Short mmCIF file of all heavy atoms in Angstrom, two decimals:
data_model
loop_
_atom_site.label_atom_id
_atom_site.label_comp_id
_atom_site.label_asym_id
_atom_site.label_seq_id
_atom_site.Cartn_x
_atom_site.Cartn_y
_atom_site.Cartn_z
N ILE U 1 0.84 -1.21 0.00
CA ILE U 1 0.00 0.00 0.00
C ILE U 1 0.87 1.25 0.00
O ILE U 1 0.63 2.20 -0.76
CB ILE U 1 -0.95 -0.01 1.21
CG1 ILE U 1 -2.04 -1.07 1.02
CG2 ILE U 1 -1.59 1.36 1.42
CD1 ILE U 1 -2.95 -1.24 2.21
N ALA U 2 1.90 1.26 0.84
CA ALA U 2 2.80 2.42 0.88
C ALA U 2 3.53 2.59 -0.45
O ALA U 2 3.69 3.72 -0.96
CB ALA U 2 3.80 2.26 2.02
N ARG U 3 3.97 1.47 -1.04
CA ARG U 3 4.71 1.55 -2.30
C ARG U 3 3.83 2.05 -3.44
O ARG U 3 4.24 2.94 -4.20
CB ARG U 3 5.27 0.17 -2.65
CG ARG U 3 6.08 0.12 -3.93
CD ARG U 3 6.97 -1.11 -3.95
NE ARG U 3 6.17 -2.32 -3.94
CZ ARG U 3 5.80 -2.98 -5.06
NH1 ARG U 3 6.15 -2.50 -6.24
NH2 ARG U 3 5.10 -4.08 -4.99
N TYR U 4 2.62 1.52 -3.56
CA TYR U 4 1.75 1.94 -4.65
C TYR U 4 1.17 3.34 -4.42
O TYR U 4 0.83 4.02 -5.39
CB TYR U 4 0.63 0.92 -4.86
CG TYR U 4 1.13 -0.35 -5.52
CD1 TYR U 4 1.00 -1.59 -4.88
CD2 TYR U 4 1.75 -0.32 -6.76
CE1 TYR U 4 1.46 -2.75 -5.47
CE2 TYR U 4 2.22 -1.47 -7.35
CZ TYR U 4 2.08 -2.69 -6.70
OH TYR U 4 2.55 -3.83 -7.30
N THR U 5 1.09 3.76 -3.18
CA THR U 5 0.68 5.14 -2.91
C THR U 5 1.73 6.11 -3.47
O THR U 5 1.39 7.13 -4.07
CB THR U 5 0.50 5.37 -1.40
OG1 THR U 5 -0.55 4.50 -0.91
CG2 THR U 5 0.11 6.82 -1.12
N THR U 6 3.01 5.76 -3.26
CA THR U 6 4.09 6.57 -3.82
C THR U 6 4.06 6.56 -5.34
O THR U 6 4.19 7.60 -6.00
CB THR U 6 5.45 6.06 -3.32
OG1 THR U 6 5.50 6.14 -1.91
CG2 THR U 6 6.59 6.88 -3.92
N LEU U 7 3.89 5.37 -5.92
CA LEU U 7 3.89 5.25 -7.38
C LEU U 7 2.76 6.03 -8.03
O LEU U 7 2.96 6.68 -9.06
CB LEU U 7 3.81 3.77 -7.79
CG LEU U 7 5.08 2.93 -7.55
CD1 LEU U 7 4.83 1.48 -7.90
CD2 LEU U 7 6.24 3.48 -8.37
N THR U 8 1.57 5.98 -7.44
CA THR U 8 0.45 6.73 -8.02
C THR U 8 0.71 8.23 -7.97
O THR U 8 0.35 8.96 -8.91
CB THR U 8 -0.86 6.39 -7.30
OG1 THR U 8 -0.72 6.59 -5.89
CG2 THR U 8 -1.27 4.94 -7.55
N ALA U 9 1.31 8.70 -6.87
CA ALA U 9 1.64 10.13 -6.78
C ALA U 9 2.65 10.51 -7.86
O ALA U 9 2.53 11.57 -8.51
CB ALA U 9 2.17 10.47 -5.40
N GLN U 10 3.66 9.67 -8.05
CA GLN U 10 4.65 9.94 -9.09
C GLN U 10 4.03 9.86 -10.49
O GLN U 10 4.39 10.65 -11.38
CB GLN U 10 5.81 8.95 -8.96
CG GLN U 10 6.64 9.16 -7.70
CD GLN U 10 7.70 8.08 -7.51
OE1 GLN U 10 7.60 6.98 -8.09
NE2 GLN U 10 8.71 8.36 -6.71
N ASP U 11 3.10 8.94 -10.69
CA ASP U 11 2.41 8.83 -11.98
C ASP U 11 1.60 10.10 -12.27
O ASP U 11 1.56 10.58 -13.41
CB ASP U 11 1.49 7.62 -12.00
CG ASP U 11 2.25 6.30 -11.94
OD1 ASP U 11 3.45 6.31 -12.27
OD2 ASP U 11 1.65 5.28 -11.56
N GLU U 12 0.97 10.63 -11.25
CA GLU U 12 0.20 11.86 -11.43
C GLU U 12 1.13 13.01 -11.80
O GLU U 12 0.79 13.85 -12.65
CB GLU U 12 -0.57 12.19 -10.15
CG GLU U 12 -1.73 11.25 -9.86
CD GLU U 12 -2.45 11.60 -8.57
OE1 GLU U 12 -2.35 12.78 -8.15
OE2 GLU U 12 -3.10 10.74 -7.99
N ASN U 13 2.29 13.07 -11.15
CA ASN U 13 3.26 14.12 -11.48
C ASN U 13 3.75 13.99 -12.92
O ASN U 13 3.90 14.99 -13.63
CB ASN U 13 4.45 14.06 -10.52
CG ASN U 13 4.06 14.40 -9.09
OD1 ASN U 13 3.06 15.07 -8.85
ND2 ASN U 13 4.83 13.92 -8.14
N ALA U 14 4.01 12.76 -13.35
CA ALA U 14 4.48 12.53 -14.72
C ALA U 14 3.41 12.92 -15.73
O ALA U 14 3.70 13.53 -16.77
CB ALA U 14 4.87 11.06 -14.90
N LEU U 15 2.16 12.60 -15.44
CA LEU U 15 1.07 12.95 -16.34
C LEU U 15 0.88 14.46 -16.40
O LEU U 15 0.65 15.03 -17.48
CB LEU U 15 -0.22 12.26 -15.88
CG LEU U 15 -1.44 12.42 -16.80
CD1 LEU U 15 -1.14 11.91 -18.20
CD2 LEU U 15 -2.64 11.67 -16.21
N SER U 16 0.99 15.13 -15.26
CA SER U 16 0.86 16.60 -15.25
C SER U 16 1.97 17.25 -16.05
O SER U 16 1.75 18.26 -16.74
CB SER U 16 0.89 17.12 -13.81
OG SER U 16 -0.23 16.65 -13.08
N LEU U 17 3.19 16.68 -16.01
CA LEU U 17 4.31 17.25 -16.76
C LEU U 17 4.07 17.14 -18.25
O LEU U 17 4.28 18.12 -18.99
CB LEU U 17 5.61 16.55 -16.38
CG LEU U 17 6.85 16.97 -17.18
CD1 LEU U 17 7.14 18.45 -16.97
CD2 LEU U 17 8.06 16.13 -16.79
N VAL U 18 3.65 15.99 -18.72
CA VAL U 18 3.46 15.81 -20.15
C VAL U 18 2.26 16.61 -20.65
O VAL U 18 2.25 17.10 -21.79
CB VAL U 18 3.33 14.32 -20.51
CG1 VAL U 18 2.00 13.75 -20.06
CG2 VAL U 18 3.51 14.09 -22.01
N VAL U 19 1.25 16.79 -19.78
CA VAL U 19 0.09 17.59 -20.16
C VAL U 19 0.45 19.08 -20.16
O VAL U 19 -0.04 19.86 -20.97
CB VAL U 19 -1.09 17.31 -19.22
CG1 VAL U 19 -2.22 18.31 -19.41
CG2 VAL U 19 -1.62 15.90 -19.46
N GLY U 20 1.31 19.47 -19.24
CA GLY U 20 1.72 20.86 -19.18
C GLY U 20 0.93 21.71 -18.21
O GLY U 20 1.11 22.92 -18.15
N SER U 21 0.05 21.08 -17.45
CA SER U 21 -0.75 21.81 -16.45
C SER U 21 -1.30 20.79 -15.46
O SER U 21 -1.31 19.58 -15.72
CB SER U 21 -1.89 22.59 -17.11
OG SER U 21 -2.81 21.70 -17.72
N ALA U 22 -1.76 21.31 -14.31
CA ALA U 22 -2.37 20.43 -13.31
C ALA U 22 -3.69 19.88 -13.85
O ALA U 22 -4.42 20.56 -14.58
CB ALA U 22 -2.60 21.20 -12.01
N LEU U 23 -3.97 18.64 -13.49
CA LEU U 23 -5.18 17.98 -13.99
C LEU U 23 -6.28 17.99 -12.95
O LEU U 23 -6.02 17.74 -11.77
CB LEU U 23 -4.87 16.53 -14.37
CG LEU U 23 -4.04 16.32 -15.65
CD1 LEU U 23 -3.64 14.87 -15.78
CD2 LEU U 23 -4.84 16.76 -16.87
N PRO U 24 -7.52 18.26 -13.35
CA PRO U 24 -8.64 18.13 -12.42
C PRO U 24 -8.77 16.69 -11.93
O PRO U 24 -8.50 15.74 -12.68
CB PRO U 24 -9.85 18.54 -13.28
CG PRO U 24 -9.28 19.34 -14.40
CD PRO U 24 -7.92 18.77 -14.67
N ILE U 25 -9.17 16.53 -10.70
CA ILE U 25 -9.27 15.19 -10.11
C ILE U 25 -10.24 14.30 -10.87
O ILE U 25 -10.03 13.09 -11.01
CB ILE U 25 -9.67 15.30 -8.62
CG1 ILE U 25 -8.58 16.05 -7.83
CG2 ILE U 25 -9.90 13.92 -8.01
CD1 ILE U 25 -8.91 16.26 -6.37
N ASP U 26 -11.32 14.91 -11.39
CA ASP U 26 -12.33 14.10 -12.06
C ASP U 26 -11.86 13.53 -13.39
O ASP U 26 -12.53 12.68 -13.98
CB ASP U 26 -13.61 14.91 -12.27
CG ASP U 26 -13.36 16.16 -13.13
OD1 ASP U 26 -12.23 16.66 -13.13
OD2 ASP U 26 -14.31 16.60 -13.80
N LEU U 27 -10.68 13.98 -13.89
CA LEU U 27 -10.15 13.43 -15.14
C LEU U 27 -9.17 12.29 -14.90
O LEU U 27 -8.76 11.62 -15.86
CB LEU U 27 -9.45 14.53 -15.95
CG LEU U 27 -10.32 15.65 -16.50
CD1 LEU U 27 -9.49 16.60 -17.35
CD2 LEU U 27 -11.48 15.10 -17.32
N LEU U 28 -8.80 12.06 -13.65
CA LEU U 28 -7.84 10.99 -13.36
C LEU U 28 -8.54 9.64 -13.34
O LEU U 28 -9.65 9.50 -12.81
CB LEU U 28 -7.16 11.25 -12.02
CG LEU U 28 -6.35 12.55 -11.91
CD1 LEU U 28 -5.76 12.69 -10.52
CD2 LEU U 28 -5.25 12.58 -12.97
N PRO U 29 -7.92 8.60 -13.90
CA PRO U 29 -8.54 7.27 -13.93
C PRO U 29 -8.46 6.60 -12.58
O PRO U 29 -7.56 6.85 -11.78
CB PRO U 29 -7.70 6.53 -14.97
CG PRO U 29 -6.34 7.15 -14.84
CD PRO U 29 -6.58 8.60 -14.55
N GLN U 30 -9.42 5.72 -12.31
CA GLN U 30 -9.43 4.96 -11.07
C GLN U 30 -8.88 3.55 -11.27
O GLN U 30 -8.32 2.96 -10.35
CB GLN U 30 -10.86 4.88 -10.50
CG GLN U 30 -11.45 6.24 -10.17
CD GLN U 30 -10.61 7.00 -9.16
OE1 GLN U 30 -10.11 6.46 -8.19
NE2 GLN U 30 -10.44 8.31 -9.41
N SER U 31 -9.06 3.02 -12.47
CA SER U 31 -8.58 1.66 -12.76
C SER U 31 -8.43 1.52 -14.27
O SER U 31 -8.88 2.38 -15.03
CB SER U 31 -9.54 0.60 -12.21
OG SER U 31 -10.82 0.73 -12.81
N LEU U 32 -7.79 0.43 -14.68
CA LEU U 32 -7.62 0.18 -16.11
C LEU U 32 -8.98 -0.07 -16.75
O LEU U 32 -9.82 -0.79 -16.21
CB LEU U 32 -6.72 -1.03 -16.34
CG LEU U 32 -5.21 -0.81 -16.27
CD1 LEU U 32 -4.49 -2.12 -16.47
CD2 LEU U 32 -4.75 0.20 -17.31
N SER U 33 -9.16 0.52 -17.93
CA SER U 33 -10.39 0.31 -18.68
C SER U 33 -10.04 -0.31 -20.02
O SER U 33 -9.15 0.16 -20.73
CB SER U 33 -11.13 1.63 -18.88
OG SER U 33 -12.22 1.46 -19.76
N ASP U 34 -10.73 -1.35 -20.38
CA ASP U 34 -10.52 -2.00 -21.67
C ASP U 34 -11.23 -1.27 -22.80
O ASP U 34 -11.21 -1.72 -23.94
CB ASP U 34 -10.98 -3.45 -21.62
CG ASP U 34 -10.12 -4.30 -20.71
OD1 ASP U 34 -8.92 -3.99 -20.58
OD2 ASP U 34 -10.64 -5.26 -20.11
N THR U 35 -11.88 -0.16 -22.50
CA THR U 35 -12.65 0.57 -23.50
C THR U 35 -12.01 1.92 -23.85
O THR U 35 -12.70 2.82 -24.31
CB THR U 35 -14.09 0.80 -23.02
OG1 THR U 35 -14.06 1.55 -21.80
CG2 THR U 35 -14.81 -0.52 -22.79
N ILE U 36 -10.70 2.07 -23.60
CA ILE U 36 -10.08 3.34 -23.98
C ILE U 36 -10.05 3.48 -25.50
O ILE U 36 -9.97 4.58 -26.04
CB ILE U 36 -8.65 3.48 -23.42
CG1 ILE U 36 -7.73 2.42 -24.04
CG2 ILE U 36 -8.64 3.42 -21.93
CD1 ILE U 36 -6.28 2.78 -23.91
N THR U 37 -10.08 2.36 -26.22
CA THR U 37 -10.11 2.39 -27.68
C THR U 37 -11.09 1.34 -28.17
O THR U 37 -11.29 0.30 -27.53
CB THR U 37 -8.72 2.13 -28.27
OG1 THR U 37 -8.83 2.02 -29.70
CG2 THR U 37 -8.12 0.85 -27.74
N VAL U 38 -11.71 1.64 -29.30
CA VAL U 38 -12.66 0.67 -29.87
C VAL U 38 -11.93 -0.40 -30.66
O VAL U 38 -12.52 -1.42 -31.01
CB VAL U 38 -13.67 1.39 -30.78
CG1 VAL U 38 -14.56 2.32 -29.98
CG2 VAL U 38 -12.95 2.18 -31.88
N LEU U 39 -10.64 -0.17 -30.97
CA LEU U 39 -9.88 -1.14 -31.74
C LEU U 39 -9.24 -2.16 -30.82
O LEU U 39 -8.65 -1.81 -29.80
CB LEU U 39 -8.79 -0.44 -32.56
CG LEU U 39 -9.26 0.56 -33.62
CD1 LEU U 39 -8.07 1.17 -34.33
CD2 LEU U 39 -10.18 -0.11 -34.62
N THR U 40 -9.37 -3.42 -31.17
CA THR U 40 -8.70 -4.48 -30.42
C THR U 40 -7.49 -5.01 -31.17
O THR U 40 -6.71 -5.77 -30.63
CB THR U 40 -9.68 -5.65 -30.17
OG1 THR U 40 -10.17 -6.14 -31.43
CG2 THR U 40 -10.85 -5.19 -29.31
N ASP U 41 -7.33 -4.58 -32.43
CA ASP U 41 -6.19 -5.03 -33.22
C ASP U 41 -5.89 -3.95 -34.25
O ASP U 41 -6.78 -3.23 -34.71
CB ASP U 41 -6.49 -6.36 -33.91
CG ASP U 41 -5.25 -6.98 -34.54
OD1 ASP U 41 -4.14 -6.57 -34.14
OD2 ASP U 41 -5.39 -7.84 -35.42
#
């Protein structure tokens, strides 16, 4: 729990850097979704 808490915080920082601005909380994902794309191949 402690390790993944750190990793998620670092992931959020990395995402904010590539986006170029702070992200609203409601745009952050909660879990992996298999529907991010309609293409499977």
Side-chain angles (χ1 to χ4, degrees):
I1 288 175
R3 181 161 63 93
Y4 287 120
T5 299
T6 300
L7 288 176
T8 54
Q10 292 174 340
D11 293 340
E12 290 179 23
N13 294 337
L15 185 57
S16 296
L17 176 61
V18 72
V19 169
S21 64
L23 288 171
I25 297 178
D26 60 333
L27 293 184
L28 299 179
Q30 299 302 318
S31 61
L32 278 178
S33 172
D34 292 330
T35 59
I36 65 160
T37 174
V38 294
L39 297 179
T40 58
D41 191 18

